[in-house]
Amino acid sequence: MNYKTDEEIDAGEEFQIPDELIGRRIDASLAALLPRLSRSRIKRLIDNQQILINGKSCKAKSIVLGNERVVINDSTIETDLGFVAENIPLDVVYEDDTILVINKEQGIVVHPGAGNWTGTVLNALLHHYPDSKQIPRAGIVHRLDKDTTGLMVVAKTIEAQIHLVKQLQERSIKREYIAIVHGKTKASGTIDLPIGRHPRARTKMAVIASGKEAKTHFQKQSGGEAWSSLQCFLETGRTHQIRVHLSHIGHPLIGDSVYRKNSSNLDKTVTIDIPPRQALHAKKLTLIHPDNGREISTEADIPGDLARLEQSLKNLNG
């Protein structure tokens, strides 16, 4: 069964119980979906009306009828897990008393979850900034996929975290990505298509009519007949947004095994060293400083594997 993973379910976020659990008790179903929480803990949350089903309180023994909408109104589900501090290096691009911006490496998960309880950005923050244990999610306000590199802002105070989350909600934080994709794209464009959980593959996202608003702008930097290098600008911040949008219009990211639809002429080109991850990098991050109201802009150079990929693709053009 493909469920939304623990890492993807946050306090206050709505998710659905899949049809595979029809006929089972609510508490047993949620225990299957949320292995990081014990069944007794789930029952307490239900009894305290901190778990709502279709917007209403429920009983632990209630039976799943299918596609129930669930919200967990408990901000302590993160801190109760006892995440450990780990001495994992962080590439800090900017830091002051209120915020820091890090350049996340490829292969590191941002937040602990099923299959990745250690070795994450959060574990590293707890080590390098012990006071972050007093802040929800150690100050993390947004995420990057495991194999996406680039810039993330982290709050060092609760007040800063609230301010940054509000900026994300109001779309005043500007995020620029570099994406190297299959195919020859047009010079620029906007993809304005809703994104939601894939109706069948629950660990994936998809463009679906019932999804949330999602808007991605792009400009082509360079390319050939079989590839394009794009600057992408997020207006919204849905899970896997760039990957889903570009795949949907027929230009999946090079190296993206999850959202790639079709084969490419690049597959037949042995001179191209395609990295074992999606060719996506969060290059630039611009925000309003929570304390002084000034605009802060940071940049991270494209990492070596993507720079080599882009150069080898340019060499194909002669």
Side-chain angles (χ1 to χ4, degrees):
M1 291 181 285
N2 291 322
Y3 301 132
K4 187 174 184 181
T5 66
D6 260 352
E7 183 186 1
E8 298 166 321
I9 296 176
D10 302 323
E13 179 190 1
E14 181 179 289
F15 63 98
Q16 281 188 315
I17 300 179
D19 289 341
E20 291 95 327
L21 296 175
I22 289 175
R24 295 183 64 179
R25 286 171 52 127
I26 287 288
D27 58 350
S29 299
L30 293 178
L33 290 169
L34 301 165
R36 60 177 170 168
L37 299 180
S38 68
R39 189 163 173 177
S40 60
R41 174 67 187 281
I42 290 172
K43 186 178 185 306
R44 287 199 302 273
L45 291 171
I46 291 174
D47 291 344
N48 293 333
Q49 299 185 0
Q50 290 173 285
I51 292 181
L52 301 181
I53 306 295
N54 293 330
K56 300 178 180 179
S57 59
C58 65
K59 295 182 178 181
K61 64 181 180 181
S62 299
I63 301 301
V64 172
L65 301 177
N67 289 317
E68 280 88 346
R69 293 176 288 106
V70 182
V71 173
I72 303 177
N73 292 318
D74 180 22
S75 62
T76 67
I77 62 173
E78 307 289 348
T79 56
D80 284 357
L81 295 175
F83 297 137
V84 297
E86 294 181 83
N87 188 6
I88 301 168
L90 289 174
D91 180 6
V92 178
V93 176
Y94 173 88
E95 181 178 6
D96 58 31
D97 292 338
T98 304
I99 63 172
L100 67 143
V101 178
I102 63 171
N103 181 16
K104 190 186 84 66
E105 296 180 359
Q106 181 268 336
I108 184 169
V109 172
V110 170
H111 191 281
N116 294 285
W117 293 109
T118 59
T120 73
V121 171
L122 185 144
N123 298 116
L125 289 169
L126 291 174
H127 172 82
H128 296 288
Y129 303 93
D131 289 345
S132 66
K133 66 183 179 182
Q134 307 299 330
I135 309 172
R137 302 186 197 175
I140 293 170
V141 296
H142 65 117
R143 304 182 188 184
L144 294 175
D145 296 336
K146 176 180 179 181
D147 289 326
T148 297
T149 53
L151 299 175
M152 288 178 50
V153 63
V154 178
K156 297 174 74 173
T157 67
I158 292 178
E159 294 77 13
Q161 188 179 47
I162 293 171
H163 195 285
L164 291 169
V165 168
K166 185 177 180 181
Q167 287 188 57
L168 284 168
Q169 293 171 341
E170 295 176 348
R171 304 179 185 179
S172 59
I173 292 182
K174 300 178 180 66
R175 290 167 285 174
E176 177 186 329
Y177 290 73
I178 299 297
I180 308 175
V181 303
H182 289 275
K184 184 177 182 178
T185 70
K186 58 184 180 180
S188 63
T190 295
I191 309 169
D192 186 0
L193 295 168
I195 291 176
R197 187 64 48 183
H198 194 289
R200 294 178 300 278
R202 302 298 295 176
T203 59
K204 295 173 59 176
M205 307 299 288
V207 170
I208 56 174
S210 60
K212 295 180 180 179
E213 178 192 9
K215 188 177 292 186
T216 305
H217 308 281
F218 69 87
Q219 291 182 347
K220 187 173 181 177
Q221 292 184 303
S222 59
E225 290 300 318
W227 67 281
S228 300
S229 178
L230 308 176
Q231 283 180 298
C232 295
F233 306 90
L234 288 182
E235 190 167 322
T236 55
R238 307 305 173 202
T239 302
H240 300 173
Q241 179 173 318
I242 292 175
R243 299 167 65 189
V244 171
H245 268 169
L246 291 174
S247 177
H248 186 80
I249 65 171
H251 298 288
L253 292 168
I254 292 176
D256 192 341
S257 60
V258 176
Y259 291 106
R260 184 176 167 195
K261 292 182 178 181
N262 304 309
S263 62
S264 165
N265 290 335
L266 293 178
D267 298 328
K268 307 176 183 66
T269 307
V270 296
T271 56
I272 300 300
D273 182 16
I274 296 178
R277 59 117 168 176
Q278 64 266 9
L280 185 64
H281 175 66
K283 178 186 177 182
K284 188 174 182 179
L285 183 66
T286 303
L287 54 89
I288 303 301
H289 195 283
D291 279 353
N292 56 38
R294 295 178 181 174
E295 185 175 89
I296 299 291
S297 186
T298 55
E299 292 195 39
D301 292 338
I302 188 169
D305 61 342
L306 299 191
R308 290 189 294 272
L309 170 64
E310 189 167 20
Q311 186 57 54
S312 62
L313 290 168
K314 290 178 178 179
N315 292 341
L316 284 180
N317 296 343

